[in-house]
């Protein structure tokens, strides 16, 4: 299939130059179901992007769609600020019974606003309020959002530059394997903490992604995460895990930190927590940290009741019996075997990942973009990640069938060959 880019007149003449995804995928999309999108000309695309991880259960998932339609048809509350509603109660009860209690997690739940960066901002604010300190440590190649507080703990120079002002109170430290195993974990970090002449202000918290998505699919080892938690406890710092893209089952378990056996002080969730692509985010924290005054952190759109409805339906449908985690691990093994075969033939590429998030890194950064461009021509949606866009990122829906996954992986292999 060869796709001819459409005339995008109104998008080019009226929409801001800040638009990005549409430049790599010059199509006008019209419908979507499961792991496929269809443009207005009838071309079908297999989706290995999944709304940047906000569509873990696919497009227009029929179970979630039915719950949403039923709720709308009975005139259920749409906008509710932080008022108590039946939809919010159903979500909270389901989240507690299906997710928190089985994992023995004690968290309180906060609805900070509709997006991931809202959740991160609330986590940073709470950590500073609890500890009475300003500094927060983040890691090289981290990405935590596009608002000012989140950008201050984000590593990407291009995104940071968009702030237009100095980004303060954030200190970067080396992520796992940043020095290719040649430096002991946290040697630099702990030395700075203990040296009164280091110039490092005592941090309130450390924020980390267990798998850095935008940073290039950099996977932290379980032992590194455990050592980080121990360091935070020794040094009286809170541990924040940003699970916005890697949570909700993306790496296997519902939370990406489960494999490491840690219990973060604060966790941020967004993207696929609503299950249907509706804006929703959560900030979870241990009860003793809940020192907010009423209304001290709020936002008009933190009560998206249709998102509560689809979120509860997703938890009931996919997380009550443990099968989703097993399926994701199996699909991940399918991807791993294919990438192993591709990289055996392509000496300039390497791969890494967990569950259903994988990255293929090329020595020539331009190659990754070329692979994604060719994939679009062949009807497969892929994006790049990493500081130089050197990584082809695989992020298919968790509900993708083995046949669809195989189809996409065969297309990927073809693209790698054809761009050599």
């Amino acid at each position: 299939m060869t796709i001819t880019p459409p005339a995008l007149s109104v998008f080019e003449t009226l929409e801001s130059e800040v638009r990005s995804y549409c430049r790599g995928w010059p199509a006008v999309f019209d419908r979507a179901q499961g792991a496929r999108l269809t443009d207005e000309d009838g071309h079908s695309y297999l989706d290995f992007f999944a709304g940047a991880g906000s569509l873990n259960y696919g497009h227009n998932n029929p179970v979630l769609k039915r719950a949403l339609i039923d709720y709308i048809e009975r005139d259920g509350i749409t906008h509710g600020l932080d008022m108590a509603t039946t939809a919010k109660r159903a979500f909270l009860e389901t989240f507690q019974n299906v997710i928190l209690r089985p994992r023995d997690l004690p968290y309180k739940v906060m609805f900070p606003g509709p997006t991931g960066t809202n959740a991160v901002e609330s986590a940073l604010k709470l950590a500073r309020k609890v500890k009475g300190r300003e500094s927060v440590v983040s890691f090289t190649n981290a990405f935590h959002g596009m608002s000012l507080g989140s950008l201050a703990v984000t590593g990407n120079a291009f995104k940071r530059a968009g702030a237009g002002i100095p980004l303060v109170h954030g200190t970067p430290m080396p992520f796992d394997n940043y020095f290719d195993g040649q430096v002991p974990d946290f040697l630099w970090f702990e030395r700075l903490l203990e040296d009164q002449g280091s110039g490092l202000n005592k941090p309130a918290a450390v924020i980390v992604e267990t798998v850095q998505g935008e940073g290039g699919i950099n996977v932290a080892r379980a032992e590194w995460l455990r050592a980080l938690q121990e360091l935070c406890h020794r040094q009286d710092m809170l541990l924040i895990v940003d699970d916005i893209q890697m949570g909700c089952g993306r790496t296997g378990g519902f939370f990406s930190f489960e494999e490491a056996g840690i219990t973060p002080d604060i966790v941020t969730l967004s993207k696929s927590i609503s299950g249907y692509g509706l804006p929703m985010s959560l900030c979870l924290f241990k009860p003793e940290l809940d020192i907010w005054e009423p209304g001290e952190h709020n936002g008009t759109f933190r009560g998206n009741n249709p998102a509560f409805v689809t979120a509860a339906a997703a938890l009931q449908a996919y997380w009550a019996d443990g099968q989703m985690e097993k399926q994701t691990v199996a699909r991940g093994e399918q991807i791993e075997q294919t990438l192993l075969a591709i990289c055996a033939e392509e000496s300039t590429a390497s791969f890494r990942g967990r569950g259903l998030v994988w990255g293929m890194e090329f020595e020539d950064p331009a190659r990754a973009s070329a692979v994604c461009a060719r994939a679009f021509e062949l009807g497969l949606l892929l994006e790049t990640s990493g500081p130089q866009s050197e990584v082809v990122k695989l992020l298919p829906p968790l509900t993708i069938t083995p046949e669809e996954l195989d189809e996409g992986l065969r297309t990927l292999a073809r693209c790698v060959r054809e761009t050599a």
Side-chain angles (χ1 to χ4, degrees):
M1 173 176 65
T2 300
I3 296 165
T4 303
L8 301 176
S9 56
V10 71
F11 304 107
E12 294 172 343
T13 59
L14 188 59
E15 191 178 0
S16 167
E17 292 299 319
V18 79
R19 65 192 188 279
S20 60
Y21 289 117
C22 56
R23 297 179 188 275
W25 302 327
V28 179
F29 296 103
D30 182 49
R31 292 174 289 110
Q33 210 287 317
R36 296 186 186 276
L37 295 91
T38 305
D39 68 20
E40 62 181 354
D41 296 321
H43 298 123
S44 177
Y45 303 79
L46 188 57
D47 188 1
F48 271 32
F49 174 65
S54 62
L55 294 166
N56 280 3
Y57 312 107
H59 297 268
N60 288 302
N61 182 290
V63 176
L64 312 189
K65 180 165 64 174
R66 185 71 265 160
L68 180 59
I69 290 172
D70 289 347
Y71 183 76
I72 292 172
E73 286 186 337
R74 72 170 184 81
D75 292 330
I77 300 291
T78 294
H79 180 272
L81 293 163
D82 68 353
M83 294 185 289
T85 65
T86 56
K88 183 195 281 189
R89 181 174 60 199
F91 167 73
L92 286 170
E93 290 174 347
T94 304
F95 191 68
Q96 183 177 49
N97 294 331
V98 175
I99 301 301
L100 296 181
R101 279 181 178 159
R103 293 162 179 79
D104 197 26
L105 293 172
Y107 297 132
K108 297 289 287 292
V109 179
M110 175 182 177
F111 300 100
T115 72
T117 200
N118 293 135
V120 170
E121 293 285 355
S122 66
L124 299 176
K125 185 189 289 188
L126 179 61
R128 288 166 171 144
K129 180 178 173 66
V130 168
K131 293 299 182 183
R133 310 179 205 128
E134 292 86 19
S135 178
V136 173
V137 166
S138 57
F139 291 95
T140 50
N141 290 311
F143 179 80
H144 296 291
M146 297 296 282
S147 50
L148 293 181
S150 300
L151 276 177
V153 290
T154 287
N156 187 285
F158 173 75
K159 293 180 172 63
R160 289 174 62 88
I165 62 171
L167 297 171
V168 296
H169 308 308
T171 303
M173 290 291 165
F175 191 70
D176 190 16
N177 204 38
Y178 188 71
F179 293 111
D180 300 320
Q182 297 182 29
V183 178
D185 295 337
F186 308 116
L187 175 65
W188 172 246
F189 189 3
E190 195 149 22
R191 183 73 59 84
L192 290 177
L193 289 169
E194 294 175 351
D195 183 356
Q196 295 300 306
S198 70
L200 175 66
N201 294 332
K202 181 77 172 182
V206 175
I207 185 167
V208 67
E209 303 154 275
T210 65
V211 180
Q212 294 181 325
E214 296 303 310
I217 318 301
N218 305 312
V219 182
R221 293 166 297 142
E223 55 266 34
W224 186 86
L225 292 168
R226 288 192 290 268
L228 177 60
Q229 178 174 257
E230 292 168 7
L231 174 61
C232 288
H233 288 170
R234 285 198 309 274
Q235 297 288 347
D236 187 34
M237 303 178 296
L238 297 178
L239 177 60
I240 304 169
V241 168
D242 180 340
D243 233 4
I244 286 165
Q245 187 169 79
M246 299 303 157
C248 303
R250 177 53 59 180
T251 65
F254 185 83
F255 295 103
S256 71
F257 55 79
E258 291 180 46
E259 181 187 35
I262 64 173
T263 304
D265 299 293
I266 304 175
V267 180
T268 60
L269 287 175
S270 187
K271 290 193 182 286
S272 275
I273 186 60
S274 81
Y276 204 73
L278 299 174
M280 178 178 173
S281 74
L282 306 178
C283 185
L284 314 176
F285 39 82
K286 293 179 178 178
E288 62 269 25
L289 304 181
D290 193 10
I291 63 172
W292 293 113
E293 295 291 335
E296 191 174 11
H297 185 92
N298 57 26
T300 303
F301 293 100
R302 66 196 184 281
N304 187 344
N305 282 256
F308 296 154
V309 170
T310 54
L315 297 179
Q316 292 164 351
Y318 295 104
W319 292 100
D321 60 4
Q323 291 305 305
M324 176 57 76
E325 181 172 353
K326 295 177 182 177
Q327 177 177 299
T328 297
V329 170
R331 301 283 193 274
E333 291 172 353
Q334 185 179 349
I335 293 177
E336 184 175 16
Q337 291 305 308
T338 300
L339 295 182
L340 189 65
I342 293 173
C343 290
E345 297 181 5
E346 178 53 71
S347 61
T348 66
S350 59
F351 71 93
R352 52 190 176 263
R354 276 179 59 196
L356 276 175
V357 53
W358 292 83
M360 178 178 289
E361 181 176 355
F362 291 91
E363 292 178 5
D364 177 7
R367 183 82 178 280
S369 296
V371 167
C372 291
R374 181 59 179 143
F376 173 77
E377 293 174 350
L378 297 173
L380 175 66
L381 300 185
L382 290 168
E383 70 163 335
T384 60
S385 69
Q388 296 179 288
S389 298
E390 74 276 20
V391 177
V392 173
K393 183 179 182 182
L394 282 66
L395 209 69
L398 306 185
T399 51
I400 194 169
T401 67
E403 295 76 20
E404 289 171 327
L405 191 55
D406 182 63
E407 176 189 338
L409 292 171
R410 282 188 280 109
T411 300
L412 172 63
R414 175 181 171 182
C415 294
V416 172
R417 289 193 305 270
E418 292 183 356
T419 57

